[in-house]
């Protein structure tokens, strides 16, 4: 890695540009499925509200993200990009973005992307570091130094790097990892240590420049609220995750699509007639259960929250504890965002060749560490991201994507139409923070409801949906403007 | 009416007590379906947290409400009751409550109920007035005067009477109705005028006594928020409607049950293969659409809110404007809470014998006034609550429950299990306001989430639901207590 | 009963003609839902292919049957009618038919109907006897004697009476009942004994006159195949039951409608979240399971046939034995056509207030005899057709319709649209046998597929279905006529 | 091709045996999903009822077929195999079968397979020819000549070759192709011409040796019935297609699985909210519609058969003509088995990037020939089996698998569990014909119902299904043996 020129706009593995054409075809198809983003290009392409914005983006480098990136550029922004997951990059999408719509393999004219499928953790954090290095852009513009002034984040890794970097610069030293630190956190520390060696105030200058972050996920949002509660948040943040058109669409309808897709690609197993166990009946679990039932599986749900448990029951699902039914289940799907939801003891009690899949959270949702350290367990790769684990019980189980998000690892993640909703929220959030900073002192915000409704509105035509309009009398009768917003803030949809 | 003794505990039509035994059987069956209320009796029957509470209740006098009333009594409260709808009383339930579990026809020992099926508006408001007259109880206890100190309201009529009564007493006069006042509002004014003749400060004293109100419905809650915004709210209010276990259960799962029930009882028409049009895709519309699809109907939805419209589309429904498809629809169901949703012009364009049903709101959701004044339209009663309207178009339509809530008028409303959720919220809200008044200065509150979760929890055993428990490590990992609450307040379920 | 004038056209209890107007309204609504029958009136009303036919009809005397009867009359037939079930008559429908569309209460001009809700078995068989007595018609036409020449049967009771009557006339004596004979069979023997006393050859003459029978049900068809196998069938029979548009519609879609309707009217219990057990996954069970799932119940199915069991599993249902899960079930629904499917031991093991409902067959499908003779069991009528049985277990169960078909007893049976399919088959079958007797030597036949397809075709417009037409090239390619029939005879749909 | 040694056991492209290990892993997983075949190995592995059978198999060379082949071998048969489709071979499965469970790459010990993914038509028919050449086996056994004595066929190509080969040998000459002959038929004639040059009686001898054929598909069965009707069928045939456990499972539940799988792998398009048009509502269409609805699509169905159209309507789908709605559809799925179902005019009227997919039949179901010859149309390969066609309308459409079966071309066909049902029927059919030839004179037969039920029975344990047993009294009551079969032959399931 040390031989890599740190300022190149073209990261190494993606430099195989033969993929760009394939990626460009896919972008064109995806654009047809992302009417929200295309509508923003039409609305704002001329006025370029993001002119001046320099966005450091950290989000799965997929075909859909490629359409997002080109939308940000169309609205005037400069962009650098990394993935937020070591497995999720679609190399052809990265290649297409690097080359750019007008560029060629020999004269790339796109956006610097630091992402490829199958990064090591060292590579991953190096890539994330790269989106904060705007020296190439500085050189091009003749500036002495420029940094990014906006972050678009998924999971909070980019935001974390800035906050930790600045903290350690203030302390003058990057601390040693404690004994129980994860491997990944050690890499983060190493990355920042290397940075500190090169510059004593790099992150401090970047932090000062940043106007805000827009965050995609529950996990990242959780970190932001914590930071803000501790008084440590350095810039305003918009919580994109909790837009209705994000959380209730991405989580539910995205998983409804990508869970069965991943199961099929990984195993080709008939879901019909099978017993499927869905751990957690939040939005993700609701989408998972619906998809499995739609394929004829019998779904059992587990829940810790009595309200969600009651919903699952009202929706016709059996609600049981995993411990009580583990031996009769064919397919396990974790949807909780918690850890140790499927434990080693469960795995030892499963049917032969039961399938274990995670669509909720990190790879600790299934106790992969426990499995890996289980004496007598043997791991056989059936194909990439599909492993048979022969267990001391004499039975095997099939673990997908090594316990990580299998809808990304075994399938292609959420489909374009779903991501168009999420990403239209992202772009609107970037515009909000960039163009109306006075409205957003340091803090964590959700998008105002009229923008949430706008996101939905931009996706209706593509589905043939014809909206009804309130008459002025009707609007007055229920006390809302004719053009919305139509609901109180706490409305649950 | 004037000949009625105003202080009797036994309102006239219900005095036919031969119904009491039938009602008692039904109560016993309903108790089995209302595990939340029965659990509260078990938990609080000894400690009687509602001792001292004198509750004026205004809520549909059904079998389920009867179980609620007996629960309030079991928890120590004194109660008087009226219905909140002229059609919704189940006379046998009223009779059983008047007689009481221990009483007999000759020696009734129950709760005074002022409600019967098919009240006039004059009777209705007289009944509502009666629940504020506690002179019989005063006489029994030897007090000079006592009034109610709690209201349990559905739609806000009881609360309205107190607020208007006090207002007019302060003014010293009940104003004349304006020319455009509805018939009902004239009756309200007459009722208060009669009261003012008897007492100059009756409502003022009552208002001073009241510790709070717990309100059941969207409509009533809307009035409360308005009152509070205008600074006129006289006592604290708990918004029971927006408990998750109320709004997301009652509205969705209740309608899923009672809409097809009402259609069947009213018309016996096969829903399978029919085109059903659901106006509005809020919780009520979601339940209606699911029920109709579950019976094999093809459902078309209309919406004004783009988010709800997008949800309907994602759930597989066509979303169209009523005007564009009115001529191909067999069954119309309004679920909006707005007015003039189905208009006369729509009705004239409908298929012969199309069915028009309202499960959303008042009888102005369908323009009944327009229909009634339509020249050449003729109304034929097929059976009670089912009318064929012969239209000048040469076609007929079938209007259910005269445009009022047909799940109450043509069926028996929400089933016991659903109401057990709503009413367990009601009882907990009454306990909150009564026992912890210091927590609730004048204002409008929703129940804290831990009580919402408790309501759900009390209903799980009956459904065979087994809840999973978080380990302390898991709870810490996601930052919640092991015993809940488990979600942030803005979580949408 | 002996005092009744045996030849009256107006049976006694129905003589209360105040019901006729109500029935007429309902007929008018039902006609709108029975497009197949109305289309036959339009097609054959002028040519009157049933002229000369004298039909003895034995089929539930409901509103739908009333439309059938008037269709038969419109096509030229003379008709007499009885119900085929002691509980299923809708008195207003019977009254409307007796009065006739043109008649008045004082001058009835309709069809003689011998049926009322709640017959005794003695009354039932007397009524059935009456449809074979055409002396009034003989008198009116001046003939010395005439008998019916066609039977339209449901369950085979009318056909049974002719076959047994002729057999006993040949023997010269009606045998004594054996010790184990059912009460009902004793009544049959008494009825025939009374007939034999009046005439030695009445049934022999009737049998000679009969050109055929069209039979509605599985049970009746089963009897016909047995009779024919034994060489005893006296006239040709058309098996209407096995038309696709009957068995796959009536059984499946009819039950999907009327099962939840009956449950609601009987108990008002929320199906959502409940555990429902469906015994048998034939067409009836498939419809029952779909209806229950559509209301949010969790459905468990039992089956003896491995193919149907596999279908249930593929459709996402748990398949278990009743014995293994009886204690966790809230609602039991029998759909088998077999006996002793729910036994006393099962009932003793059920949850408190579990609901037991039969939509399959006779009242022996649930072991009602065993329940009635169970020591310590107590029967409490909650309302007509809904009984709580307090069991020695200390728990109660709710038995609907005394174990008989609850979709008829607690609801109103199959809805008009479904019956329009069945009855259009009936009318076409009557036309076939009456107009083309040479095509039907004694035997049991199903309707040719082109007529089955015709029945379907006549019901499409009402549902807005637009059929696609094969081009001649396409028809030739798959080897069918452009106008159908389109499938091989063994096609399963 | 002429340079290939005609007698080799190892066809050329598959000779890359590095795939064998991967295939073997997949076989092991598939065996777990094919309980019917594994049960037959357990039941018949010792008695080897297929000893002496030499089976020429022509059926998609997939992983599932590999399990079938090894089952046939386990039951004593000798086998040679070709695929019945130029695209459907899974090379790793072919490789694993060639190597055999005990073999190695250097010393293959499996079954000769002539199949690879992406054959030309010339290669395809050469492969089919190879399964009839048993000279290697003759050499191994020291016989002068041996031929196959059983065919296992899918689509009838192997059967066709024998019949045509024998016919032309009798004529002494292979006729010239007529002008309108398809390219494929010309290849068939060339193949047989080459054969006739080498031997004058090869097919005549083979035909004399053959004891029968078991045929998998509707298309092949149709050919067999035609051959038999014309008196030209040379040996008995069992119609495996019309076993209930084949046609109602494979067609419906197989497509329910593989249609969305193919759509996802080909396009990654969100089905939720989309308008999908399903052409044909037979078993395949029923499965397709259910799958699409299960993913939240709005499904419109077209039908020519009024019975199936009525079923679609009762199941809640809009039924319309393609011409009337073509412009509002996002996804087209053909399920008819007919030709020219989607025509060029339709394609020109479609939305931009509408998806066109065939799961019914040959590539003439969609008029691919018309599209290919359409002036101004341009074909762009997005990826293999996914082509964008830019049309003169200015819009593009996406055609999957070049109009051929996309569940095979874009996905992996029916999953193992479904194929286990089909193939268990195949093995039982082979056993029937081989061991009880006296029961099957030349003709076309379906398997007796008890074997159909046996197939189902062998698949229940794997799904956790517990079957209920009839008591002897119950069995007698409905007139069936306790152990089945349980239904009349015309029962429709």
């Amino acid at each position: 890695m040390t031989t890599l020129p740190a300022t190149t706009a073209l990261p190494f593995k993606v430099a195989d540009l033969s993929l760009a054409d394939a990626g460009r075809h896919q972008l064109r198809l995806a654009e047809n499925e992302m009417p929200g983003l295309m509508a923003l290009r039409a609305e704002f392409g001329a006025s370029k509200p993001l002119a001046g914005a320099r966005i450091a983006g950290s989000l799965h480098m997929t075909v859909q993200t490629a359409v997002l990136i080109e939308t940000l550029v169309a609205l005037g922004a400069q962009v650098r990009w990394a993935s937020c997951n070591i497995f999720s990059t679609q190399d052809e999408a990265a290649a297409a973005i690097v080359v750019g719509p007008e560029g060629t393999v020999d004269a790339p004219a796109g956006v610097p992307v630091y992402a490829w499928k199958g990064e090591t953790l060292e590579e991953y954090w190096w890539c994330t570091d790269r989106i904060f290095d705007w020296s190439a852009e500085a050189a091009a513009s003749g500036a002495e130094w420029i940094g990014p002034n906006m972050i678009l984040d998924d999971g909070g890794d980019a935001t974390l790097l800035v906050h930790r970097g600045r903290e350690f610069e203030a302390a003058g030293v990057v601390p040693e990892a404690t004994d129980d630190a994860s491997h990944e956190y050690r890499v983060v520390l190493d990355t920042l240590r290397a940075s500190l060696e090169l510059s004593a105030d790099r992150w401090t200058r970047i932090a000062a420049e940043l106007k805000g972050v827009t965050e995609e996920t529950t996990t990242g949002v959780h970190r932001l609220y914590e930071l803000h509660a501790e008084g440590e948040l350095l810039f305003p943040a918009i919580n994109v995750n909790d837009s209705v058109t994000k959380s209730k669409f991405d989580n539910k309808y995205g998983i409804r699509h990508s869970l069965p897709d991943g199961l099929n690609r990984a195993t080709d197993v008939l879901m019909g007639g099978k017993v499927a166990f869905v751990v957690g009946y939040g939005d993700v679990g609701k989408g998972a259960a619906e998809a499995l039932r739609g394929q004829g599986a019998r779904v059992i749900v587990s829940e810790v929250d009595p309200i969600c448990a009651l919903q699952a029951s009202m929706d016709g699902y059996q609600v049981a504890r995993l411990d009580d039914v583990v031996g009769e289940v064919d397919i396990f799907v974790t949807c909780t965002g918690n850890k140790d939801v499927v434990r080693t003891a469960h795995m030892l009690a499963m049917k032969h060749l039961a399938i274990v899949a995670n669509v909720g959270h990190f790879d600790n949702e299934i106790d992969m560490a426990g499995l890996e350290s289980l004496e007598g367990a043997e791991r056989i790769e059936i194909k990439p991201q599909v492993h048979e684990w022969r267990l001391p019980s004499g039975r095997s189980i099939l673990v997908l994507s090594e316990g990580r998000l299998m809808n990304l690892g075994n399938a292609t993640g959420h489909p374009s139409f779903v991501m168009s909703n999420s990403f239209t929220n992202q772009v609107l959030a970037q515009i909000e923070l960039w163009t109306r900073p006075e409205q957003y002192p340091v803090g964590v915000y959700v998008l105002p409801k009229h923008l949430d409704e706008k996101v939905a509105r931009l996706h209706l035509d593509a589905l043939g949906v014809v909206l009804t309009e309130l008459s002025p009398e009707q609007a007055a009768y229920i006390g809302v403007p004719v053009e919305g917003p139509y609901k109180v803030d706490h409305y649950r949809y």
Side-chain angles (χ1 to χ4, degrees), chain A:
Chain A
M1 298 270 306
T2 50
T3 63
L4 276 174
T7 57
T8 179
L10 279 181
F12 57 135
K13 294 193 184 174
V14 186
D16 170 9
L17 294 176
S18 62
L19 294 162
D21 277 350
R24 185 54 51 188
H25 275 313
Q26 293 188 29
L27 255 77
R28 200 161 36 76
L29 299 190
E31 286 171 3
N32 193 57
E33 284 288 299
M34 304 190 84
L37 292 180
M38 300 312 281
L40 293 184
R41 293 191 199 177
E43 181 175 355
F44 295 116
S47 60
K48 300 212 180 302
L50 291 178
R54 293 188 297 276
I55 303 173
S58 168
L59 196 151
H60 310 284
M61 184 58 246
T62 62
V63 170
Q64 293 76 34
T65 300
V67 181
L68 166 63
I69 292 170
E70 295 195 347
T71 302
L72 294 168
V73 170
L75 269 57
Q78 278 183 290
V79 180
R80 295 178 75 81
W81 213 265
S83 185
C84 63
N85 180 295
I86 61 176
F87 287 130
S88 64
T89 296
Q90 293 168 350
D91 288 342
E92 65 274 27
I97 286 300
V98 167
V99 172
E102 319 267 289
T104 66
V105 172
D106 296 324
V111 164
V113 175
Y114 295 81
W116 53 91
K117 188 170 187 72
E119 301 162 356
T120 64
L121 284 173
E122 287 76 11
E123 291 169 338
Y124 172 80
W125 284 99
W126 174 82
C127 287
T128 306
D129 181 286
R130 288 301 84 203
I131 63 173
F132 290 100
D133 183 339
W134 289 66
S135 47
E137 288 80 355
S141 69
E144 184 245 344
W145 181 89
I146 56 177
N149 49 26
M150 295 291 290
I151 297 178
L152 192 159
D153 213 353
D154 177 311
D157 280 352
T159 302
L160 171 84
L161 212 56
V162 177
H163 280 77
R164 282 286 169 275
R166 180 176 171 284
E167 175 189 343
F168 300 152
E169 285 173 1
V173 64
V174 174
E176 290 304 309
T178 55
D179 282 356
D180 61 348
S182 68
H183 173 54
E184 179 152 14
Y185 191 60
R186 290 171 196 273
V187 176
V188 172
L189 293 178
D190 289 346
T191 303
L192 289 173
R193 199 171 288 117
S195 172
L196 190 57
E197 281 174 22
L198 293 173
S199 160
D201 65 353
R202 177 183 174 215
W203 295 108
T204 306
R205 291 173 73 183
I206 288 171
E209 196 89 350
L210 283 164
K211 300 287 178 284
V213 59
T214 58
E215 167 59 45
E216 179 79 5
T217 67
T218 309
T219 301
V221 162
H222 189 65
R223 286 187 188 179
L224 288 168
Y225 283 113
E226 281 185 341
L227 272 179
H228 189 47
E230 293 158 5
E232 297 183 3
L233 186 64
L234 299 172
F235 34 77
I238 289 188
N239 164 0
V240 166
N241 180 69
D242 286 319
S243 291
V244 185
T245 47
K246 201 280 181 180
S247 65
K248 296 282 275 192
F249 284 79
D250 182 322
N251 292 347
K252 182 172 176 188
Y253 302 117
I255 288 294
R256 183 179 69 180
H257 171 100
S258 57
L259 166 65
D261 189 17
L263 287 173
N264 282 339
R265 297 197 206 213
T267 72
D268 284 317
V269 160
L270 180 73
M271 285 169 257
K274 294 297 197 307
V275 179
F277 193 96
V278 171
V279 190
Y281 200 68
D283 288 322
V284 169
K286 286 177 172 75
E290 185 182 344
L292 290 160
R293 174 184 277 182
Q295 279 287 303
R298 173 158 72 91
V299 178
I300 307 175
V301 167
S302 70
E303 252 298 342
V304 298
D305 182 328
I307 297 178
C308 295
L310 192 54
Q311 286 186 305
S313 182
M314 285 295 137
D315 291 344
Y317 301 110
Q318 181 177 357
V319 183
R321 297 191 316 148
L322 180 49
D323 302 73
D324 295 336
V325 299
V326 62
E328 59 184 274
V329 173
D330 299 291
I331 303 167
F332 298 85
V333 183
T334 59
C335 312
T336 69
N338 209 325
K339 68 171 183 177
D340 290 339
V341 157
V342 172
R343 294 183 287 278
T344 312
H346 295 138
M347 293 188 262
L348 286 168
M350 289 177 182
K351 286 171 76 169
H352 183 53
L353 291 175
I355 297 166
V356 182
N358 171 23
V359 291
H361 187 63
F362 299 141
D363 64 349
N364 59 351
E365 186 155 353
I366 298 161
D367 183 12
M368 289 305 295
L371 180 62
E372 281 154 16
S373 64
L374 182 67
E375 195 155 348
E378 182 193 357
R379 176 178 177 278
I380 300 159
E381 178 157 308
I382 302 296
K383 58 184 178 184
Q385 322 282 8
V386 181
H387 295 91
E388 178 183 351
W389 282 83
R390 296 199 176 153
L391 302 180
S393 63
R395 293 185 293 268
S396 291
I397 61 173
L398 286 179
V399 177
L400 306 190
S401 290
E402 306 182 21
R404 292 172 188 270
L405 294 176
M406 60 75 78
N407 59 321
L408 285 164
N410 297 94
T412 59
H414 294 322
S416 302
F417 197 88
V418 163
M419 295 318 295
S420 182
N421 279 279
S422 301
F423 288 169
T424 303
N425 277 293
Q426 277 284 10
V427 176
L428 291 174
Q430 288 279 328
I431 295 174
E432 279 290 294
L433 281 184
W434 180 249
T435 62
R436 313 203 310 147
E438 69 286 359
Q439 302 289 322
Y440 299 95
V442 172
V444 187
Y445 305 88
V446 292
L447 276 180
K449 191 168 285 293
H450 78 273
L451 291 181
D452 211 346
E453 292 182 358
K454 174 174 182 157
V455 172
R457 205 179 289 271
L458 296 178
H459 288 85
L460 298 180
D461 271 0
L463 301 174
V465 168
V466 183
L467 219 50
T468 300
E469 277 199 21
L470 287 178
S471 69
E473 294 76 20
Q474 288 177 317
Y477 186 75
I478 59 170
V480 302
V482 165
E483 67 282 4
Y486 302 103
K487 299 289 192 300
V488 293
D489 278 340
H490 64 264
Y491 187 75
R492 296 194 184 91
Y493 296 90

